[in-house]
Amino acid sequence: DGGITQSPKYLFRKEGQNVTLSCEQNLNHDAMYWYRQDPGQGLRLIYYSQIVNDFQKGDIAEGYSVSREKKESFPLTVTSAQKNPTAFYLCASSAVVTDTQYFGPGTRLTVL
Amino acid sequence: QQQVKQSPQSLIVQKGGISIINCAYENTAFDYFPWYQQFPGKGPALLIAIRPDVSEKKEGRFTISFNKSAKQFSLHIMDSQPGDSATYFCAARGIYNTDKLIFGTGTRLQVFP
């Protein structure tokens, strides 16, 4: 069953803690993305990766970090430097950057 | 120039009616315009997409109308059903292989029986 999986579905974090969100895809896609979604706002790009061991900052990268050690995995770390981390986080992938993006089910992060 | 402006923010339609969501852009280098549908608590899913070489694309009850000169495109949902209730996002992307999708702010559609 091909697709994109994100875990966990819900995540709670105390202020000052780093937390890592998982994203895995078995679509053999080269490009992967992380978006943040807040109520009433569109999807804002955090980071994206066009190929293994390479990634670029998106529009709101401050307070986040990523790695791309494997083609199928693109974990996102929300650091304590992110001032307002409570949001719905979406991972996506595409065959190449110019191709259709497919989204995972999302992770809802709540900072307590 | 990188923005995609979407309206309305919310839309209430009766079952069987037509839902219309509009988007406008300024960057003439955009050449791919997809629409995504998102149900609560889920990730967005590609609904339908158009390129500027056609003025209209229809898939079932969903139609994209594209006006290149006005730099506008819209989604029409015919015979709207309660199951269409979701948030709809328009998006646009440029012609260069490093260009990324730019999303509109979304429209929450509610279809009442």
Side-chain angles (χ1 to χ4, degrees), chain A residues 54-81:
Chain A
D54 184 56
F55 48 83
Q56 286 81 41
K57 292 182 179 180
D59 300 319
I60 56 166
E62 186 175 350
Y64 300 97
S65 65
V66 293
S67 63
R68 186 86 187 276
E69 297 176 1
K70 298 186 295 182
K71 186 174 185 177
E72 60 269 24
S73 179
F74 191 41
L76 172 74
T77 297
V78 184
T79 75
S80 56

Side-chain angles (χ1 to χ4, degrees), chain A residues 37 45 48 97-98 101 104, chain B residues 32 36 38 43 89 93 99-100:
Chain A
Q37 185 175 22
L45 184 64
Y48 69 103
V97 168
T98 52
Q101 289 187 22
Chain B
Y32 174 67
Y36 282 83
Q38 183 181 30
F89 292 95
R93 190 187 61 222
D99 285 348
K100 304 171 291 295

Side-chain angles (χ1 to χ4, degrees), chain B residues 3-17:
Chain B
Q3 279 190 325
V4 176
K5 295 181 180 180
Q6 184 172 346
S7 64
Q9 189 173 3
S10 63
L11 183 60
I12 299 174
V13 173
Q14 266 204 310
K15 179 182 175 181

Side-chain angles (χ1 to χ4, degrees), chain A residues 5-68:
Chain A
T5 57
Q6 291 186 243
S7 61
K9 188 173 177 65
Y10 299 96
L11 190 57
F12 298 89
R13 179 196 108 175
K14 292 183 180 179
E15 276 192 37
Q17 289 181 335
N18 291 357
V19 62
T20 298
L21 282 60
S22 169
C23 177
E24 304 277 332
Q25 54 98 0
N26 61 5
L27 301 169
N28 200 33
H29 285 171
D30 282 322
M32 296 187 75
Y33 315 79
W34 274 105
Y35 292 90
R36 171 179 172 143
Q37 185 175 22
D38 296 283
Q41 299 195 37
L43 281 67
R44 293 185 289 167
L45 184 64
I46 304 172
Y47 269 98
Y48 69 103
S49 168
Q50 297 187 67
I51 199 167
V52 174
N53 292 322
D54 184 56
F55 48 83
Q56 286 81 41
K57 292 182 179 180
D59 300 319
I60 56 166
E62 186 175 350
Y64 300 97
S65 65
V66 293
S67 63
R68 186 86 187 276

Side-chain angles (χ1 to χ4, degrees), chain B residues 11 13-22 35-37 39 47-48 57-65 74-89 107-111:
Chain B
L11 183 60
V13 173
Q14 266 204 310
K15 179 182 175 181
I18 303 173
S19 305
I20 302 174
I21 304 170
N22 301 299
W35 283 89
Y36 282 83
Q37 179 189 54
F39 293 105
L47 186 63
I48 186 173
K57 182 174 182 180
K58 184 176 181 179
E59 289 185 3
R61 296 184 293 107
F62 300 90
T63 300
I64 299 180
S65 297
S74 59
L75 176 70
H76 295 236
I77 306 175
M78 311 300 288
D79 187 26
S80 299
Q81 299 295 313
D84 297 330
S85 297
T87 299
Y88 293 82
F89 292 95
T107 296
R108 186 184 175 199
L109 171 65
Q110 294 174 279
V111 181

